[in-house]
Amino acid sequence: MTFANLTGLTALVTGGSRGIGKATAQLLKAQGAEVVILGSNVETVEKTATELQVKGLAVDLFQPDSIAKIESALPQVAPGGIDILVNNAGITKDGLFLRQSEEAWEQVLTINLQRVVQLTRALLPEMTKKNFGRIINLSSIVSHMGNVGQTNYITSKAAITGFTKALAKEVARKNVTVNAVAPGFVATDMTNTIPDQIKEKFIQQIPANRFGEATEIAAAIAFLASREAAYITGTTLHVNGGMYVGN
Ligand code: NAD
């Protein structure tokens, strides 16, 4: 018996040009899905799309017309529509709360929350019409634990958890599942900026004694995207080496 065979399904992975999104695109493709990756940088998107042999869309999600651009470009790259939406693109603009600028809050909430909501709103009607869909939102361990210097990021990711739970209840009847994956600390460009001595401190708090790999997050996303995960909705799958084991 094959497991998590995604043949016949098309996935859109935002932030699919690198890190967790790239690993996810690669795995979904390996499991048989047609995949479209979306990223902000034209060259990086093209490079990754060629490397993974998937379709690429270069759209800056910070731009107000980004969702309209995606909606008008999708029919060419995904003529059959999107069955699996992985809302993975995300940014951090860290700093102590009293030093975080209004602009940093706006950027983080726009990319990490508002565009997730808007893209989901754009793609959901087709899923409910088809009576099948998988929406997987990237949350974070820190939205469950708290973390110094990340009030804006954690606010956005905590909202994603609420959005996931509430929407899951609305669309379960239509066989559309909505789940979140909450990675712990994963070795990507996002965490590369953490100074080495701080990284060491985090590792001391991780029972698995290491940062996670992007492929380990991708595996959780691919599972939730599978047909076999049909009865799992509204949940958060924590992938963190044991760092946080609460709900
Ligand atoms: P990353 O920085 O390596 O990649 C982020 C991706 O988002 C890139 O592909 C980038 O092109 C895309 N992106 C950023 N701004 C964009 C914009 N304006 N328009 C379009 N695309 C944009 O990050 P990552 O570590 O792979 O993180 C992926 C997701 O996982 C994020 O939502 C992040 O918050 C979450 N996460 C990461 C970690 C970690 O430790 N790396 C931990 C918890 C949660």
Side-chain angles (χ1 to χ4, degrees):
M1 188 189 116
T2 55
F3 183 70
N5 184 338
L6 303 177
T7 305
L9 301 177
T10 302
L12 172 63
V13 183
T14 69
S17 58
R18 66 180 199 208
I20 292 168
K22 181 180 175 184
T24 301
Q26 189 160 26
L27 182 54
L28 297 182
K29 163 99 180 164
Q31 293 304 114
E34 297 290 323
V35 178
V36 181
I37 58 166
L38 184 146
S40 53
N41 183 287
V42 183
E43 286 85 46
T44 321
V45 168
E46 274 175 11
K47 189 169 165 270
T48 304
T50 307
E51 183 191 332
L52 303 186
Q53 293 185 296
V54 299
K55 302 271 172 56
L57 269 186
V59 178
D60 179 357
L61 286 169
F62 192 60
Q63 297 308 314
D65 62 351
S66 55
I67 301 298
K69 274 192 180 157
I70 296 169
E71 284 185 289
S72 68
L74 268 182
Q76 282 103 61
V77 288
I82 298 297
D83 309 288
I84 301 165
L85 170 61
V86 184
N87 281 312
N88 165 79
I91 59 166
T92 52
K93 295 273 169 197
D94 293 351
L96 292 176
F97 175 62
L98 289 180
R99 294 192 200 141
Q100 279 179 345
S101 66
E102 201 57 43
E103 196 193 3
W105 272 83
E106 195 201 338
Q107 286 175 354
V108 169
L109 288 175
T110 300
I111 304 291
N112 296 6
L113 177 61
Q114 200 179 359
R115 295 296 182 251
V116 171
V117 171
Q118 292 167 338
L119 189 55
T120 302
R121 189 187 287 128
L123 300 185
L124 186 59
E126 206 178 296
M127 293 182 184
T128 57
K129 211 160 97 192
K130 278 190 191 165
N131 216 30
F132 181 90
R134 297 282 183 267
I135 298 169
I136 297 125
N137 300 321
L138 268 289
S139 163
S140 171
I141 187 172
V142 292
S143 71
H144 296 266
M145 291 176 62
N147 197 23
V148 171
Q150 293 202 298
T151 49
N152 51 14
Y153 179 75
I154 289 175
T155 299
S156 72
K157 295 298 188 182
I160 284 297
T161 307
F163 175 63
T164 300
K165 288 182 182 182
L167 185 61
K169 295 232 176 194
E170 283 191 27
V171 295
R173 192 180 282 272
K174 293 286 182 185
N175 295 313
V176 177
T177 66
V178 190
N179 290 291
V181 170
F185 287 84
V186 182
T188 67
D189 289 343
M190 184 175 269
T191 51
N192 262 348
T193 52
I194 302 174
D196 279 349
Q197 70 271 34
I198 311 267
K199 268 190 194 162
E200 272 312 311
K201 277 195 181 154
F202 283 132
I203 288 172
Q204 283 165 19
Q205 298 168 50
I206 303 171
N209 202 34
R210 62 175 175 85
F211 273 28
E213 298 294 332
T215 51
E216 294 172 312
I217 310 305
I221 295 170
F223 167 62
L224 290 171
S226 71
R227 294 179 175 92
E228 288 86 346
Y231 205 53
I232 303 173
T233 196
T235 197
T236 295
L237 184 45
H238 292 273
V239 189
N240 59 39
M243 189 177 187
Y244 173 80
V245 292
N247 283 316

